[in-house]
Amino acid sequence: MRYYAVLKEDSICAEIRGVHEEIELHNYISLDNEDISILGKRYNNGEWEEVELQDSIPKSTEDEILQAEMLLNQQMILSKQTEIDMTLAELLLNQQGVVR
């Protein structure tokens, strides 16, 4: 079995993959063995280097954060509206004499 480090766009090892055939892709780095200690490290000129956590996590922009908050609020509103709709439906059914 051959082992490869699979690199993300920023040359950081995201996965160790074992395969039976040789792979020749720019983001696959051949390994001598299944060395999981390189996960999360950057491949730079044939060397594996430590990466600070903030380097590997993309930063969210203020607009992205605001959009996420708006989507969360919309989801909460929809959830509450569904509860209200269910209660109203139950009341209408009770007024019509329908028993569930």
Side-chain angles (χ1 to χ4, degrees):
M1 178 151 310
R2 299 168 193 244
Y3 293 99
Y4 291 90
V6 182
L7 306 181
K8 298 187 298 183
E9 292 174 6
D10 52 5
S11 297
I12 293 178
C13 179
E15 175 185 354
I16 305 296
R17 185 170 287 179
V19 296
H20 294 288
E21 297 179 17
E22 185 175 349
I23 298 176
E24 293 185 23
L25 294 172
H26 73 280
N27 64 325
Y28 276 63
I29 306 300
S30 180
L31 302 173
D32 294 332
N33 54 38
E34 189 177 15
D35 182 7
I36 63 170
S37 69
I38 62 171
L39 286 169
K41 292 184 180 180
R42 180 175 284 122
Y43 188 71
N44 187 10
N45 295 322
E47 299 292 322
W48 294 101
E49 54 190 29
E50 294 291 332
V51 177
E52 289 192 35
L53 189 55
Q54 66 267 14
D55 289 347
S56 64
I57 300 174
K59 302 269 188 235
S60 296
T61 65
E62 190 173 331
D63 287 343
E64 290 172 328
I65 293 169
L66 289 173
Q67 184 177 12
E69 288 174 350
M70 286 179 11
L71 289 171
L72 182 58
N73 286 337
Q74 287 175 350
Q75 181 59 41
M76 289 172 54
I77 290 168
L78 289 173
S79 176
K80 290 293 181 188
Q81 185 61 48
T82 301
E83 288 177 32
I84 292 168
D85 290 346
M86 295 292 287
T87 303
L88 288 174
E90 188 121 356
L91 287 170
L92 287 171
L93 287 173
N94 286 339
Q95 284 179 349
Q96 298 298 320
V98 177
V99 179
R100 292 186 354 143

